[in-house]
Amino acid sequence: HDATPAGRRARQAVEAVQSQFAQWQFEFFDNPELPELLKKSEGLTPDTLILLAPYGVGRSRDIMGPEELISRLSRRSHAPVYVLAAGIAGDGAVGGSLLSGRLMGAHAAGAALGLLRGPKTDSLPVVFRSCSRLVVNYPQLIRWGISPSAVPDECVVVNRPHTALTAYGHLARDAAVTLLVLGVMVLILWLNVGWRRRAEKTLRESELRYRTL
């Protein structure tokens, strides 16, 4: 993480839950320069991971966009990289429980609509819902040998390759329903023709017996 307030808060949040993961060894890399960070990542092993907290400004004050940082770090790292922001989950990181600006906006809009309906501000409930969602990056799952079937159902998988079934599945379903309906109609017509032929045969036989009498 960097030395910005956001970076320091992210470290404090990790430290607050560190005791819950006693089986893990934590190492914080404070405010490194990018070359230091990349070199450090190359020395890691696949049984470790990198949780990249907000990092955009090193000690030299050079600013780097998160997309470029994630892309470069992912290419050089010998360990999977996890992030905290949903907007950069698909740029080389495996993913994680990511903060979503869209969810934050939706919650804020809901609160605004509640105010417009008239209740007093002190009567509105305090919202404790998390503005995060589980997101994983499919190519990185494959890279690090993580089976997509092991991903929880509530997790959003991004950058999944499109197959013919996923791309045209709705058309296939529509075609199957259409064929089923046509098949049922053909069956009804075939049965109807059979009934008519048997009825006509029975009528002819009756007429023939009547004329014989």
Side-chain angles (χ1 to χ4, degrees), residues 50-158:
I50 298 173
L51 176 60
L52 186 66
Y55 178 86
V57 183
R59 291 191 302 271
S60 64
R61 298 299 177 182
D62 292 332
I63 299 176
M64 175 176 293
E67 294 83 2
E68 180 183 358
L69 172 62
I70 291 296
S71 179
R72 295 180 62 178
L73 182 59
S74 176
R75 289 196 302 267
R76 297 277 294 273
S77 175
H78 291 172
V81 180
Y82 292 80
V83 293
L84 300 175
I88 57 176
D91 295 307
V94 176
S97 180
L98 310 179
L99 295 175
S100 172
R102 180 172 297 180
L103 289 178
M104 293 180 185
H107 291 173
L113 288 175
L115 287 174
L116 292 175
R117 293 191 181 100
K120 297 180 180 180
T121 54
D122 56 1
S123 66
L124 293 176
V126 178
V127 177
F128 292 99
R129 290 178 297 173
S130 174
C131 293
S132 63
R133 60 175 181 169
L134 295 174
V135 180
V136 293
N137 189 4
Y138 186 89
Q140 294 299 316
L141 291 179
I142 302 304
R143 174 187 175 185
W144 297 108
I146 304 172
S147 173
S149 61
V151 175
D153 294 336
E154 65 272 16
C155 190
V156 178
V157 181
V158 298

Side-chain angles (χ1 to χ4, degrees), residues 180-194:
L180 178 61
V181 172
L182 291 175
V184 171
M185 293 177 63
V186 169
L187 177 62
I188 293 174
L189 290 174
W190 179 76
L191 293 174
N192 185 51
V193 170

